[in-house]
Each structure stands twice: as structure tokens, then as C-alpha cells.
Amino acid sequence: FMARYDHLFSGNNRESVSLRRNLWNLVLSLQTEQRVVNALPSDERVLEEVAAIGTGRFALPESTRSQQWLEKHGDCIDQLVVEEDGLTVEGAGSGAVLRRGVTAGEVIVPVPLQHI
């Protein structure tokens, strides 16, 4: 939709820009689902970019990282396995299990802490 909408107003004259902005505001105002409103850009001038990369990537530009960034800042958690049917350890419930041994004090999964 956004790619087709963007091509309707290829001119940069004042009337075209104004009409494009007003029509986009109308489109946004007609949306009844908040999820849809959140996904659509509020600024009609970025529609071409949004159509090219998708609403998710546009809204969260740092949602994907380069291999170089991951190697420098990332943590591998492939040793962590979720046991949905319960753990094989007697008395344990559902949860995660490590595939390897760990030493005391070792960080298993880095998790940000939310202070309350």
C-alpha cells in the first residue's frame, strides 16, 4: 500500500505536498487498530523508505546488527536449552538447562536489571 501511495504524488510542488500530507493524515485517522497506527509512520515523507525496508525495521532501526558488531558486543547463548515438559532433575519444574558445566560466579545469560 505504502509504495503505491508514495507514487501517487511524485511531484514536489506545494499543492502536491500539501495534498499528500492531508491524504496521509486521513489514512492515519481512519485506522481503528492501534497496532496498525503504531506500525505506520506519522510522517508521509518517509513512505518510500518504509516501503523499502518495512515498518518493523523502520520503527526499530537497530533491531539487526552487523556480524562485526555481534562479534564485538554479542553473547552466545546457544548452550541454553528450554525444557518445556519439565526438567529431568527430580523436584525441578520447567525452565532452562545448560548444555555445559559452569563455574561459580560465571555469567550464564546477561540480563538487564530493571530497578524498581
Side-chain angles (χ1 to χ4, degrees), residues 63-114:
S63 62
T64 58
R65 303 292 185 151
S66 69
Q67 183 69 32
Q68 183 181 16
W69 188 94
L70 290 172
E71 288 171 0
K72 183 176 181 182
H73 303 285
D75 287 309
C76 181
I77 60 169
D78 68 344
Q79 74 277 1
L80 197 61
V81 179
V82 176
E83 295 288 341
E84 295 178 12
D85 296 330
L87 303 175
T88 56
V89 177
E90 187 175 327
S94 299
V97 180
L98 284 175
R99 294 182 182 170
R100 63 172 177 82
V102 293
T103 58
E106 183 179 351
V107 174
I108 300 169
V109 178
V111 179
L113 179 62
Q114 179 68 38

Side-chain angles (χ1 to χ4, degrees), residues 4-65:
R4 287 183 285 171
Y5 173 86
D6 198 47
H7 292 289
L8 290 174
F9 305 99
S10 57
N12 287 324
N13 61 52
R14 189 173 173 172
E15 292 81 19
S16 179
V17 169
S18 177
L19 180 60
R20 177 180 164 153
R21 182 177 301 121
N22 290 337
L23 182 56
W24 186 247
N25 288 334
L26 176 63
V27 168
L28 291 176
S29 70
L30 294 175
Q31 296 300 322
T32 57
E33 285 193 51
Q34 192 60 42
R35 292 177 352 149
V36 174
V37 173
N38 291 342
L40 295 174
S42 58
D43 188 342
E44 81 288 345
R45 294 172 293 183
V46 298
L47 288 175
E48 189 174 327
E49 181 183 357
V50 174
I53 65 173
T55 56
R57 286 250 170 96
F58 182 80
L60 301 168
E62 295 183 354
S63 62
T64 58
R65 303 292 185 151

